[in-house]
Amino acid sequence: MSREGKEESGNIWKSRFASLILQLSHTMRGFKLKDRCKTTQVHAYNTNPFPISPTSSKLQYPTINSILSESPFLPYGLPKTHSFEPPLDLSLKSLDFVQSLADLYRKLQMTQDFNKSLLYLEQYALLYTLGDPKLLRRCLQSARQHAVDVHSKVVLSAWLRFERREDELVGSSAFDCIGRVLECPKTALLHGYDPKSVFDHCQSHPPPNQISDANNFLTSENDGGIIHFCIHNQEVNCIRGRIAALSAPLKSMLYGDFIESDKEKIDFTHIGISVDGMRAVDSFSRTRRFDSYPPNILLELLSFANRFCCEELKSASDSYLASLVSDIDEALILIDYALDERAPLLVASCLQLMLRELPGYLYNPKVLNTFCSSEARERLATVGQTSFLLYYFLSQVAIEDNMMSKVTLMLLERLKECATERWQKALAMHQLGCVLLQRKDYKEAQRYFEMAIEAGHVYSVVGVARAKFKQGQRFLAFELINGIISEYTPMGWMYQERSLYSLGKQKILDVNDATRLDPALSFPYKYRAIVMVEENQIEAAIAEINRIVGFKVSPDCLELRAWCFIALEDYQSAIRDIRALLTLEPNYVMFRGKMRADHLVELLSLHVQPWSPADCWMQLYDQWSSVDDIGSLAVIHQMLINDPGRSILRFRQSLLLLRLNCQKAAMRSLRLARNHSTSTYERLVYEGWILYDTGHREEALAKAEESISLQRSFEAFFLKAYALADATLDSESSSYVIQLLEEALKCPSDGLRKGQALNNLGSIYVDCNKLDLAADCYVRALEIKHTRAHQGLARVYHLKSDQKSAYEEMTKLIDKARNKASAYEKRSEYCDRDMANGDLSMASILDPLRTYPYRYRAAVLMDDQRETEAVEELTRAISFKPDLQMLNLRAAFHESMTDFSRALQDSEAALCLDPNHKDTLDLYSRTRLKNT
């Protein structure tokens, strides 16, 4: 096409979008936007899209008409390649991840159990870059398991609760736990170290009155006689010897050279204790325990104990007060008293409630006053309640909530002050640099990045380069990254970063090299798509975004694809992507913070044919049967707009999100399903699924059984069968699971769920070698459009040695499914080597994060005695997907090549990911012996 033709085409396209918004603008006059929500968007770096009036501190929200005049390209302005950049990674990023994992595993092996807690926190910081919630949770669980002091137990149990976001459950409170010692707030306040009990069920604990030895100091109440303490016009009669036994100062006062030692009455009016308080002191001196006292009396006892150095009284008062705090309002009041009286357990109890209410109370003035200033940190330190662990947790919460806030900056400054080890300093400095860069304080950001580099974090060079670039020093930024590429093993993120500072053809070459080395990086796909958009190649841009959306779904990629569909006037496809996006982030704001995504759906919906409820169900069946998870999400989102209380739809939503590896969003949907349940038996089922998905299988089974006792339902039977089938089944257990699934199929449900039950039933029959019954289940599932049953039927044919039929069955799945990577991978098992290689190559193209194709190709190369190439195949994949199985396989290859040092390193790195992996443990033991 000629230049004139391109310009004409571009102008027509530009006007289409403007025309759409102009036609709809009258429906939105006076429309005001809510505050911009934190999110990972295409242009997330644009932090203040709304201008501030010079006469007002409030944001001035734009109207549709005001936005229309902003850009001649699109009313809201598509991203531009010259200003588009990827976010910095805020976590620790090692240049040799496998070696770092191995080093950490060796440190864990050499460290005594009671000193391991901080090492597991270091593991959390190192593994954070992988983005695996289950792996990160296990690190926190291990840290909690090996925590020795109360402070660490309190912070880690609160952190574990925060990761679960249990506050989204209706009726739950901050002090609720999951029934295990691991997160129990009461157990966290107990002294002692017992790592084996952490995963046990927690029990209610009586108030810790701390009865001590009755033979302390005195054995007879008559010893020393009676002493009268006068407070105003009242007297409190005490046993002199018992009061003296409370502390050395009191003993000196009552038995030493002081004038009080000769008196029978002592004036305590100005000591700062009430009559009731002194009676409580007397009672404790006699019994070494407390009756039921109100908090104000216990606070008086704390003050009295501090004044007279009564350590036992102070400890008992501190412990008893800590056990009484159960409300955030109480905690906010008592924290200052606790700090003034230096009561560590009471401070810990108050801190625990504050931490367990995060992020809701993050910006409460009292909470900020407790944590944020340097003086506050020092005040907490006086009672042993400050640590790197505490501020790591707080800063992570703040970053997730609002990275650019002053609160985030202050908490990171406290984190820096608490850092003692090199990795801690590197993390604190790097995160400070990232926040300051976002706040456009480029010189300070550069300074902190340079300090992180001094602490050993080479990746912070990226921050230095970005800061220099923002200050107009493009060439220096380019040279910095170029130096990293020359000095270290090249990685995808290095070329991605250098592309920001490259010019001309070199820029796109760097972007392509980034994808070649790390196909999981999303920025290169988006950049290439934006280049295509600028050249009016919209269909090609959509195809480019489809490459990454096919295996890694994220809101920013869906937003960019939606923009392209709008440009093509394919409003139905745009609505689909925006609805799926809203499922991931319900408050997402599009167009660089200028319009809420849900309002854009309303605008675009005026230009498409509306769907009735029946239409929605038909569409859901079609999308589900074509294995189009994004399309299914979009339909369910539309159905929920019309019927937000349908729990079953929320549950279906959670299943789709789990398939797309969006675990946090899936748990949110599952909790909303529970919250909207209209019956007890239904609520129990969803609570059971929550427990199952968080690793509590026995509790999930109990919920399923309780639900069945109230109402026989498909979902309750299915949950029970699913949880039981998760374990290794013998013939008797398999028969019981089959019976449960058959009972489920007798209960009312729709075809979507019955298809899944039939598919699961077929799998159990296959495991029991009942192939004809399995085939019958799969055929019945296919009759109700459960397309995934083709895979099960193919397995049956394979076990019957009918490879041709198995291959054909998988071909049918490939033809029907939108997401084909797993189908290609599975079909490779039913054909010869050459055809298998073709299918696995296609699987890697469609989803480069699938690890089986790399392992298969490496094994083939090893069989052909091409050892070096086999290792290289695994190494290439491990560089962007450090998977346990691939590390284990590479370790085995190194062992067979007698390269025992590398075999040892790979097995150590694998065990850092899963310390209980049997095959790797065996390999590790062998290579240790051979390497000595």
Side-chain angles (χ1 to χ4, degrees):
M1 183 183 293
S2 67
R3 179 182 297 178
E4 292 78 12
K6 285 186 178 180
E7 290 178 355
E8 181 180 356
S9 171
N11 291 332
I12 291 172
W13 171 56
K14 295 170 193 174
S15 65
R16 286 177 179 172
F17 196 96
S19 174
L20 167 68
I21 302 298
L22 283 168
Q23 292 171 32
L24 303 176
S25 62
H26 69 278
T27 66
M28 299 294 288
R29 286 200 177 99
F31 166 69
K32 300 294 182 183
L33 297 173
K34 294 183 180 179
D35 291 346
R36 182 183 182 194
C37 301
K38 174 193 174 290
T39 185
T40 53
Q41 302 187 35
V42 173
H43 263 278
Y45 66 86
N46 186 354
T47 58
N48 188 16
F50 306 136
I52 298 179
S53 167
T55 60
S56 171
S57 61
K58 294 182 178 179
L59 294 176
Q60 303 299 303
Y61 299 109
T63 63
I64 294 296
N65 287 331
S66 68
I67 296 172
L68 287 174
S69 61
E70 286 192 3
S71 171
F73 187 66
L74 278 180
Y76 297 94
L78 276 168
K80 306 289 185 178
T81 52
H82 66 80
S83 59
F84 181 53
E85 59 187 39
L88 291 181
D89 196 329
L90 281 100
S91 58
L92 291 179
K93 198 173 184 73
S94 173
L95 270 68
D96 191 337
F97 191 67
V98 172
Q99 182 180 328
S100 297
L101 288 177
D103 290 344
L104 186 56
Y105 181 75
R106 283 194 294 273
K107 282 199 288 186
L108 283 165
Q109 292 298 103
M110 293 186 294
T111 304
Q112 292 180 307
D113 281 354
F114 55 83
N115 286 329
K116 285 183 177 179
S117 189
L118 271 179
L119 283 176
Y120 283 115
L121 188 66
E122 182 179 355
Q123 184 186 43
Y124 175 92
L126 182 63
L127 297 180
Y128 194 87
T129 188
L130 298 181
D132 185 338
K134 290 185 178 179
L135 200 57
L136 294 176
R137 181 169 177 82
R138 198 180 69 206
C139 293
L140 293 177
Q141 287 176 337
S142 297
R144 169 64 184 90
Q145 180 181 5
H146 294 282
V148 175
D149 58 286
V150 167
H151 171 74
S152 296
K153 294 177 185 178
V154 162
V155 176
L156 288 163
S157 64
W159 200 336
L160 284 162
R161 180 184 183 275
F162 175 79
E163 290 298 324
R164 286 191 304 110
R165 302 294 202 282
E166 200 68 357
D167 53 299
E168 290 182 321
L169 290 181
V170 170
S172 66
S173 72
F175 239 48
D176 289 342
C177 71
I178 57 175
R180 300 292 179 109
V181 171
L182 187 72
E183 286 185 38
C184 179
K186 292 183 179 179
T187 307
L189 293 172
L190 298 179
H191 294 282
Y193 175 64
D194 185 5
K196 294 182 180 179
S197 72
V198 171
F199 296 98
D200 293 344
H201 291 277
C202 60
Q203 300 175 355
S204 57
H205 301 283
N209 289 333
Q210 296 194 355
I211 302 174
S212 60
D213 189 351
N215 294 318
N216 272 350
F217 299 108
L218 298 171
T219 58
S220 171
E221 289 193 1
N222 294 323
D223 288 349
I226 301 297
I227 182 74
H228 308 278
F229 291 100
C230 303
I231 301 172
H232 297 295
N233 297 323
Q234 298 185 59
E235 292 184 2
V236 179
N237 301 326
C238 304
I239 300 172
R240 182 185 289 268
R242 293 289 183 169
I243 296 296
L246 291 176
S247 73
L250 285 172
K251 186 176 183 179
S252 296
M253 181 179 73
L254 297 176
Y255 287 106
D257 296 330
F258 295 94
I259 58 174
E260 286 86 357
S261 62
D262 296 327
K263 293 183 177 181
E264 293 184 359
K265 293 183 180 182
I266 299 176
D267 187 4
F268 262 23
T269 299
H270 303 293
I271 292 300
I273 193 167
S274 67
V275 171
D276 288 339
M278 197 59 213
R279 286 173 179 157
V281 172
D282 173 53
S283 176
F284 182 82
S285 73
R286 298 167 188 259
T287 64
R288 290 303 195 270
R289 64 178 300 145
F290 292 130
D291 295 323
S292 297
Y293 296 123
N296 63 304
I297 297 299
L298 292 166
L299 288 171
E300 287 186 27
L301 295 183
L302 265 181
S303 180
F304 180 90
N306 276 328
R307 177 182 287 267
F308 292 103
C309 303
C310 306
E311 293 303 322
E312 188 179 0
L313 175 60
K314 179 179 178 178
S315 177
S317 304
D318 184 19
S319 180
Y320 194 33
L321 264 170
S323 72
L324 298 179
V325 184
S326 59
D327 178 83
I328 183 65
D329 294 324
E330 293 174 356
L332 294 174
I333 292 170
L334 288 173
I335 185 71
D336 282 334
Y337 289 101
L339 287 168
D340 289 342
E341 299 299 341
R342 298 192 177 186
L345 211 56
L346 179 56
V347 173
S349 182
C350 294
L351 283 183
Q352 178 165 243
L353 267 165
M354 293 181 186
L355 297 176
R356 293 175 77 90
E357 289 284 2
L358 295 176
Y361 273 75
L362 181 61
Y363 301 103
N364 180 285
K366 192 78 173 180
V367 173
L368 297 180
N369 186 56
T370 301
F371 294 122
C372 283
S373 69
S374 187
E375 294 77 12
R377 181 191 65 79
E378 292 172 0
R379 199 176 178 210
L380 287 170
T382 61
V383 288
Q385 297 299 330
T386 190
S387 65
F388 181 87
L389 169 64
L390 171 66
Y391 282 102
Y392 189 13
F393 174 38
L394 288 169
S395 60
Q396 291 304 108
V397 174
I399 286 171
E400 185 175 319
D401 186 73
N402 184 354
M403 181 176 171
M404 293 181 56
S405 72
K406 181 67 174 176
V407 171
T408 302
L409 191 60
M410 293 177 71
L411 289 172
L412 285 172
E413 287 171 347
R414 303 294 80 76
L415 182 71
K416 172 176 66 73
E417 293 168 359
C418 292
T420 54
E421 299 184 25
R422 278 174 62 84
W423 75 267
Q424 295 175 355
K425 293 175 182 177
L427 179 67
M429 301 301 179
H430 180 72
Q431 291 194 339
L432 268 168
C434 291
V435 169
L436 288 164
L437 190 70
Q438 289 290 309
R439 291 169 65 91
K440 299 184 179 180
D441 190 348
Y442 301 131
K443 289 186 178 179
E444 274 296 285
Q446 180 179 331
R447 185 171 72 88
Y448 278 113
F449 284 130
E450 288 169 348
M451 292 167 70
I453 294 168
E454 289 177 12
H457 193 232
V458 180
Y459 173 74
S460 291
V461 169
V462 171
V464 176
R466 201 76 68 93
K468 286 182 178 294
F469 179 62
K470 297 293 185 182
Q471 296 174 78
Q473 302 172 30
R474 176 190 289 268
F475 179 74
L476 291 177
F478 179 89
E479 286 297 303
L480 274 173
I481 304 303
N482 204 43
I484 292 292
I485 293 173
S486 302
E487 186 175 351
Y488 297 94
T489 302
M491 302 177 74
W493 61 262
M494 297 177 184
Y495 287 96
Q496 172 179 279
E497 189 65 21
R498 193 174 72 174
S499 72
L500 299 180
Y501 320 122
S502 301
L503 297 171
K505 291 183 179 180
Q506 184 61 46
K507 198 175 191 73
I508 199 69
L509 288 174
D510 281 345
V511 169
N512 292 340
D513 281 340
T515 299
R516 175 177 56 82
L517 291 169
D518 187 351
L521 291 172
S522 61
F523 170 80
Y525 300 93
K526 291 186 287 183
Y527 179 85
R528 287 188 291 265
I530 294 168
V531 170
M532 294 168 185
V533 166
E534 292 179 345
E535 296 174 352
N536 294 328
Q537 300 175 26
I538 311 304
E539 290 88 350
I542 292 172
E544 184 64 26
I545 290 297
N546 286 344
R547 289 176 60 194
I548 189 164
V549 171
F551 66 89
K552 187 178 179 182
V553 178
S554 62
D556 52 346
C557 289
L558 289 173
E559 177 187 7
L560 183 55
R561 192 169 72 172
W563 288 15
C564 293
F565 280 126
I566 291 171
L568 291 178
E569 295 185 341
D570 184 353
Y571 304 132
Q572 192 70 63
S573 295
I575 290 172
R576 177 203 62 201
D577 281 352
I578 300 170
R579 287 192 183 281
L581 182 161
L582 284 166
T583 305
L584 299 176
E585 289 195 22
N587 298 314
Y588 196 87
V589 186
M590 297 181 65
F591 303 122
R592 291 172 293 173
K594 294 186 174 73
M595 177 174 280
R596 287 176 59 94
D598 52 359
H599 290 298
L600 183 58
V601 170
E602 293 174 11
L603 293 175
L604 294 176
S605 296
L606 298 176
H607 278 245
V608 299
Q609 185 70 31
W611 289 348
S612 67
D615 293 332
C616 287
W617 276 106
M618 289 181 61
Q619 286 290 331
L620 183 57
Y621 269 89
D622 288 343
Q623 303 300 330
W624 200 283
S625 64
S626 64
V627 196
D628 183 359
D629 295 332
I630 291 176
S632 299
L633 276 180
V635 176
I636 289 176
H637 183 270
Q638 181 168 350
M639 296 168 81
L640 283 168
I641 294 297
N642 299 325
D643 191 1
R646 285 291 297 275
S647 288
I648 190 63
L649 293 177
R650 297 281 183 190
F651 178 60
R652 296 255 165 71
Q653 194 178 64
S654 71
L655 296 175
L656 289 164
L657 289 165
L658 282 175
R659 284 184 195 166
L660 293 169
N661 200 31
C662 302
Q663 295 182 28
K664 285 192 176 182
M667 290 305 294
R668 181 179 64 239
S669 294
L670 193 51
R671 291 190 184 103
L672 287 171
R674 183 268 191 193
N675 291 346
H676 285 95
S677 299
T678 56
S679 61
T680 302
Y681 79 88
E682 186 182 30
R683 176 176 55 79
L684 288 167
V685 169
Y686 299 137
E687 287 179 357
W689 280 113
I690 290 171
L691 288 164
Y692 177 81
D693 287 341
T694 51
H696 301 91
R697 179 173 163 273
E698 293 178 5
E699 291 86 342
L701 283 169
K703 292 285 184 182
E705 290 168 357
E706 187 179 354
S707 178
I708 292 170
S709 70
L710 297 175
Q711 173 74 49
R712 293 168 60 86
S713 69
F714 174 92
E715 293 299 348
F717 279 116
F718 189 90
L719 169 61
K720 187 173 180 180
Y722 197 94
L724 285 172
D726 189 36
T728 302
L729 296 178
D730 53 26
S731 58
E732 183 179 349
S733 300
S734 296
S735 298
Y736 185 45
V737 172
I738 289 169
Q739 180 184 340
L740 288 170
L741 288 170
E742 288 174 342
E743 289 297 323
L745 288 165
K746 293 176 185 177
C747 298
S749 186
D750 57 71
L752 297 176
R753 291 299 283 154
K754 290 202 171 184
Q756 183 65 59
L758 286 165
N759 199 63
N760 287 22
L761 184 56
S763 297
I764 302 296
Y765 278 134
V766 168
D767 293 340
C768 297
N769 202 33
K770 298 178 180 180
L771 301 183
D772 290 336
L773 289 173
D776 179 63
C777 287
Y778 291 130
V779 169
R780 288 165 61 195
L782 288 169
E783 287 173 354
I784 51 178
K785 292 189 174 184
H786 189 77
T787 307
R788 286 181 171 86
H790 282 298
Q791 183 168 320
L793 194 54
R795 184 183 174 201
V796 171
Y797 287 133
H798 169 66
L799 292 172
K800 288 183 174 183
S801 300
D802 186 354
Q803 299 296 97
K804 183 174 182 295
S805 295
Y807 184 88
E808 290 173 351
E809 203 64 37
M810 289 308 302
T811 302
K812 293 176 185 177
L813 178 56
I814 289 170
D815 292 340
K816 292 179 182 179
R818 289 286 299 272
N819 300 316
K820 306 174 188 292
S822 63
Y824 276 111
E825 181 181 297
K826 194 66 181 177
R827 192 176 71 170
S828 70
E829 298 179 21
Y830 309 133
C831 53
D832 60 39
R833 180 186 286 191
D834 290 339
M835 294 176 70
N837 276 329
D839 277 352
L840 291 175
S841 294
M842 181 58 71
S844 289
I845 290 170
L846 295 173
D847 184 355
L849 296 181
R850 302 189 74 85
T851 61
Y852 175 76
Y854 305 105
R855 289 186 282 126
Y856 176 87
R857 287 189 290 266
V860 169
L861 289 167
M862 203 68 180
D863 287 343
D864 293 341
Q865 296 184 342
R866 296 157 66 183
E867 297 173 336
T868 303
E869 293 174 67
V871 170
E872 287 175 352
E873 176 70 17
L874 290 176
T875 300
R876 186 174 69 86
I878 288 171
S879 68
F880 63 86
K881 177 73 173 176
D883 175 76
L884 171 68
Q885 298 289 345
M886 287 196 290
L887 285 167
N888 179 65
L889 184 58
R890 193 173 71 172
F893 286 176
H894 283 312
E895 182 190 31
S896 69
M897 298 161 66
T898 67
D899 190 345
F900 300 124
S901 61
R902 283 196 171 93
L904 189 63
Q905 184 182 80
D906 280 349
S907 57
E908 287 168 338
L911 289 171
C912 193
L913 296 175
D914 183 357
N916 300 313
H917 191 254
K918 186 178 184 305
D919 289 345
T920 308
L921 283 169
D922 293 341
L923 194 154
Y924 175 64
S925 298
R926 292 197 307 270
T927 51
R928 281 188 69 188
L929 292 173
K930 294 174 182 177
N931 196 48
T932 53

